[in-house]
Amino acid sequence: MKSLLIASCGMNCSICMAYLRDKNKCPGCRLFNKNEPVTIAKCKIKNCATFKRSKSKFCFECKEFPCERINHMDKRYRTKYNMSVIENLENIKKFGVKEFIKNEKIRWTCSQCGGTICVHRGYCYNCRKK
Ligand SMILES: [Zn+2]
């Protein structure tokens, strides 16, 4: 898992449905290029002007953090997918991105086959174990 796969909003791209799928695969928020036809182009956080101006690497470095956009996303993810991007950001801030990735690896690796558990689907992309 590379740090480039951790998006500015604290989302771990490597457990995202768009990243894990075979067809029309997204390379990750930070590696995305405009010509690729994936939904990320519409992401309000990725396209956030304040964030871009601030030249920050993560949202917590932004003067507007936590803004309405990230609060909204956080609420959606906590409710629907049992994951908090704000909590992710706080962990990155506290322990650094390397340590965060180490813990993410443990959290999202399938105990049965070693595959990756998808945050959106809630099961392992490899063997479908929940
Ligand atoms: Zn598995």
Side-chain angles (χ1 to χ4, degrees), residues 50-65:
T50 314
F51 179 77
K52 272 182 188 159
R53 260 201 312 276
S54 71
K55 296 205 172 77
S56 314
K57 211 171 167 219
F58 292 103
C59 281
F60 63 75
E61 298 165 61
C62 178
K63 64 178 192 312
E64 282 183 12
F65 180 80

Side-chain angles (χ1 to χ4, degrees), residues 110-116 124-129:
C110 170
S111 59
Q112 191 163 283
C113 77
T116 304
C124 169
Y125 234 74
N126 191 41
C127 73
R128 308 270 146 163
K129 183 184 185 279

Side-chain angles (χ1 to χ4, degrees), residues 72-84:
H72 182 82
M73 181 191 176
D74 188 64
K75 197 179 167 205
R76 193 160 59 89
Y77 268 79
R78 272 189 289 116
T79 318
K80 278 181 86 174
Y81 307 119
N82 199 23
M83 183 198 83
S84 161

